[in-house]
Amino acid sequence: MSQIPSRVNPRAPEFAANAAHYQGLLEVLRGRLREAATGIREAHIARHRSRGKLLARERIDRLIDPHAPFLELSPLAAWGLYGNEVPSAGVVTGIGPIHGVACMIIANDATVKGGSFFHETVRKHVRAQEIAEQNRLPCIYLVDCGGAYLPEQDRVFPDKDHFGNTFYRQCRMSQQGLPQLAAVFGGCTAGGAYIPALADEVVMVRGNARIHLGGPSIVKVAIDETVDGETLGGAEMHSRVSGVNDYLVDDEPAALLRLREIVAKLNWPRQNHADLRPVRPPAYDPAEIGGVISADPKIPYDVREIIARLVDGSDFQEFKPLYGDTLVCGTAHLHGHPVGILGNNGALFSESALKGAHFIELCNQRNTPLLFLHNITGYMVGTDAERGGIAKHSAKMVYAQANSRVPKFSVIVGGSYGAGNYGMAGRGFAPHFLFAWPTARCATMSADIASNVMQELRRASIKQDDARLAADLHRIDTEVRAQYGEQSDPYYATARLWDDGIIEPAQTRDVLGLCLALAAQLPPATGPAPVYRM
């Protein structure tokens, strides 16, 4: 056993100051999560309930197994956009067990613009389907959807990753044998109608559920026919006449129960391909992470202190501990599942990159999932670094990571800048899941460096008197810092679906345990492992 010895003193004044600072960040996060779930739209929620309808998250609570965890994805999507009138992008997505079968659940929130699809709604829906396909999960659609939000049509309808892509993915997953199940709770018009129409099995709630490609107003304009919504596409009609619906139920609880019965009879075998070990708690409390992380991002901390509070028994077999020490690599178990961890302890030098590439190859050889803990300014620059081949050595790590065939998970715990984001499996390299902490910052570079770079470019490009130059440089510094401060903020990123959600450090162990459990159900990858290109 190689237990990490913690050098952090929880009784030190610095620890208390760090913990107090982080607690403030957590209170902001929790407040925004509460507001996204039930705030902002109280009148819409009251009207929704008056129709005998449950909220999207209440439907999910009744659908999944009692007392089971639900891993909600991107709950703060669209935060700060559209005047904050589209909380959670109008759709709730996440993974939960139904009769022990892990399922992806996609639930429209009709209290947000009638469940219509905005640009971020489409991105969140597609991302949930992407995760389902990658992890071989059945998809459950809880449909209460008014189709595309028409003022956003140019950002929702025509492109390859827009609304039509959700239907394409639904068809492809069904063809692959991944069940696509839908329950309809409200009106589904236009594109919204295709979600249940493309499902393998459909449940509709009498009185509230409707499916029609064109609603009564469209029918009137298109063919001058006057018809009410129930006659046009109600649950009774689709159950008795059209055959579009498979199961007619009287209320929402009955619809959710019928979905549970369908999943229970899917004949869905659950397999495990990982070397599971008995679960042990870390030797150090995960709640201490907030005191480990420096309140000042310029003050470093040892990533081993985070690892010690995530992995089972704080047991970590470190790889090449004396070489390339700005990248910490090693193997551990987390909630009983094997995992290979790469964490940053500063900028990555050639030695660090070579060690990372070597370690990634070993994990691929042994079918061990990879976890990347980002706190990285980037790869080292300068004359010595370039003469030492940093461009090629960093490319080797990026190459090994990009071609990795094992599941990859990323958590941005601090900064994630420049090519360091690429080497550490940033969003562009398709990790199975990517989460962020409230301390996360993701950008091409930090605001300090960006400001200095832009000022140097200005000095080199223009000749002017000292007074004018000083004013110009001050303006550049102010504008660049404001831009990078806003755009590297974790809420700016999560609003745009650049991650799968902001999570609390103390919850990270459990979140990763759920992700690793999904990965363990996937058969081991075959074919050549990435080449360690020395």
Side-chain angles (χ1 to χ4, degrees):
M1 181 171 173
S2 305
Q3 182 174 305
I4 298 174
S6 177
R7 294 176 172 81
V8 169
N9 179 8
R11 291 178 292 279
E14 296 84 358
F15 184 96
N18 291 339
H21 172 77
Y22 217 110
Q23 185 60 34
L25 298 179
L26 294 179
E27 288 172 3
V28 170
L29 172 62
R30 293 166 185 170
R32 292 183 176 184
L33 288 172
R34 284 193 299 270
E35 190 171 348
T38 55
I40 307 171
R41 57 197 190 283
E42 290 82 356
H44 296 286
I45 290 175
R47 185 168 67 241
H48 186 82
R49 292 193 186 282
S50 71
R51 296 168 176 164
K53 299 170 75 172
L54 301 169
L55 299 180
R57 291 177 178 84
E58 293 172 342
R59 291 167 179 162
I60 292 170
D61 286 343
R62 291 184 179 227
L63 178 62
I64 64 175
D65 295 340
H67 310 297
F70 176 68
L71 178 58
E72 184 172 346
L73 303 170
S74 300
L76 293 176
W79 174 264
L81 304 176
Y82 311 104
N84 244 5
E85 292 183 354
V86 191
S88 297
V91 64
V92 181
T93 65
I95 301 168
I98 302 174
H99 284 289
V101 178
C103 296
M104 174 61 74
I105 302 170
I106 301 174
N108 304 115
D109 187 346
T111 69
V112 180
K113 304 294 185 181
S116 298
F117 276 69
F118 289 69
H119 176 70
E120 290 73 20
T121 317
V122 173
R123 291 200 62 193
K124 186 170 175 178
H125 189 113
V126 167
R127 175 58 182 153
Q129 291 176 306
E130 181 180 63
I131 290 172
E133 185 171 9
Q134 194 172 39
N135 290 278
R136 314 302 298 164
L137 305 177
C139 263
I140 314 292
Y141 303 89
L142 306 183
V143 193
D144 204 345
C145 170
Y149 184 63
L150 296 182
E152 281 262 298
Q153 75 88 25
D154 64 321
R155 301 206 312 144
V156 171
F157 176 72
D159 207 353
K160 82 176 180 63
D161 291 325
H162 286 178
F163 202 1
N165 189 249
T166 68
F167 309 139
Y168 172 79
R169 290 177 177 274
Q170 194 172 339
C171 296
R172 299 285 293 181
M173 283 193 284
S174 178
Q175 187 272 336
Q176 295 170 32
L178 299 177
Q180 307 292 297
L181 310 175
V184 183
F185 300 99
C188 301
T189 303
Y194 279 105
I195 299 173
L198 288 170
D200 302 325
E201 294 185 76
V202 184
V203 183
M204 294 183 73
V205 178
R206 192 193 312 270
N208 277 338
R210 292 187 305 203
I211 297 174
H212 32 56
L213 297 186
S217 58
I218 294 177
V219 170
K220 178 64 176 177
V221 172
I223 62 172
D224 196 27
E225 178 186 345
T226 301
V227 63
D228 65 89
E230 189 66 24
T231 302
L232 182 64
E236 287 274 359
M237 188 279 290
H238 280 309
S239 301
R240 301 180 186 278
V241 180
S242 74
V244 168
N245 183 47
D246 303 310
Y247 305 99
L248 178 64
V249 296
D250 290 325
D251 54 28
E252 294 198 3
L256 297 167
L257 180 60
R258 179 52 58 93
L259 281 178
R260 286 185 54 82
E261 292 171 348
I262 295 170
V263 173
K265 296 175 176 64
L266 284 179
N267 187 27
W268 196 257
R270 282 155 286 181
Q271 302 179 21
N272 175 67
H273 299 279
D275 177 22
L276 282 178
R277 304 289 176 83
V279 178
R280 294 178 291 152
Y284 311 100
D285 189 351
E288 293 178 349
I289 293 176
V292 169
I293 298 173
S294 306
D296 183 350
K298 296 180 181 179
I299 298 177
Y301 56 87
D302 190 347
V303 72
R304 295 177 185 85
E305 298 288 353
I306 293 177
I307 296 171
R309 289 161 177 80
L310 293 181
V311 302
D312 291 1
S314 303
D315 182 4
F316 182 65
Q317 178 64 45
E318 188 169 349
F319 176 70
K320 282 184 178 289
L322 303 180
Y323 182 78
D325 59 2
T326 58
L327 182 66
V328 175
C329 302
T331 50
H333 280 75
L334 197 159
H335 272 288
H337 295 274
V339 63
I341 302 174
L342 297 91
N344 303 124
N345 261 354
L348 296 178
F349 293 79
S350 287
E351 296 84 356
S352 314
L354 289 173
K355 179 168 81 170
H358 189 174
F359 181 70
I360 290 169
E361 182 196 43
L362 290 177
C363 289
N364 274 266
Q365 184 186 71
R366 299 163 187 175
N367 280 302
T368 301
L370 291 164
L371 169 61
F372 297 83
L373 301 175
H374 298 225
N375 187 22
I376 177 66
T377 55
Y379 289 98
M380 182 51 64
V381 298
T383 303
D384 290 343
E386 298 296 351
R387 286 176 176 268
I390 186 64
K392 193 64 173 177
H393 296 318
S394 63
K396 292 171 183 175
M397 180 176 170
V398 172
Y399 180 93
Q401 182 269 114
N403 286 287
S404 179
R405 64 187 184 186
V406 298
K408 297 181 294 189
F409 309 99
S410 281
V411 182
I412 303 179
V413 303
S416 185
Y417 296 113
N421 172 271
Y422 298 163
M424 294 293 289
R427 190 61 139 183
F429 289 81
H432 278 50
F433 292 91
L434 188 152
F435 298 103
W437 285 358
T439 42
R441 294 291 184 274
C442 185
T444 52
M445 58 190 71
S446 69
D448 288 342
I449 296 175
S451 173
N452 290 332
V453 168
M454 295 300 291
Q455 290 181 68
E456 284 301 315
L457 291 173
R458 190 63 172 165
R459 287 191 185 96
S461 66
I462 196 167
K463 302 282 188 185
Q464 55 187 178
D465 62 79
D466 290 344
R468 288 183 60 197
L469 179 61
D472 217 18
L473 295 179
H474 176 72
R475 176 186 59 79
I476 290 171
D477 180 63
T478 302
E479 291 177 353
V480 171
R481 288 182 183 277
Q483 176 192 358
Y484 275 72
E486 177 190 8
Q487 294 178 357
S488 64
D489 184 85
Y491 294 99
Y492 186 96
T494 203
R496 290 157 179 80
L497 282 296
W498 296 350
D499 56 48
D500 294 315
I502 301 175
I503 60 176
E504 298 187 14
Q507 297 173 341
T508 305
R509 170 176 160 82
D510 291 339
V511 169
L512 291 173
L514 292 171
C515 296
L516 287 165
L518 295 175
Q521 296 181 37
L522 298 173
T526 58
V531 179
Y532 177 43
R533 303 187 305 175
M534 288 296 289

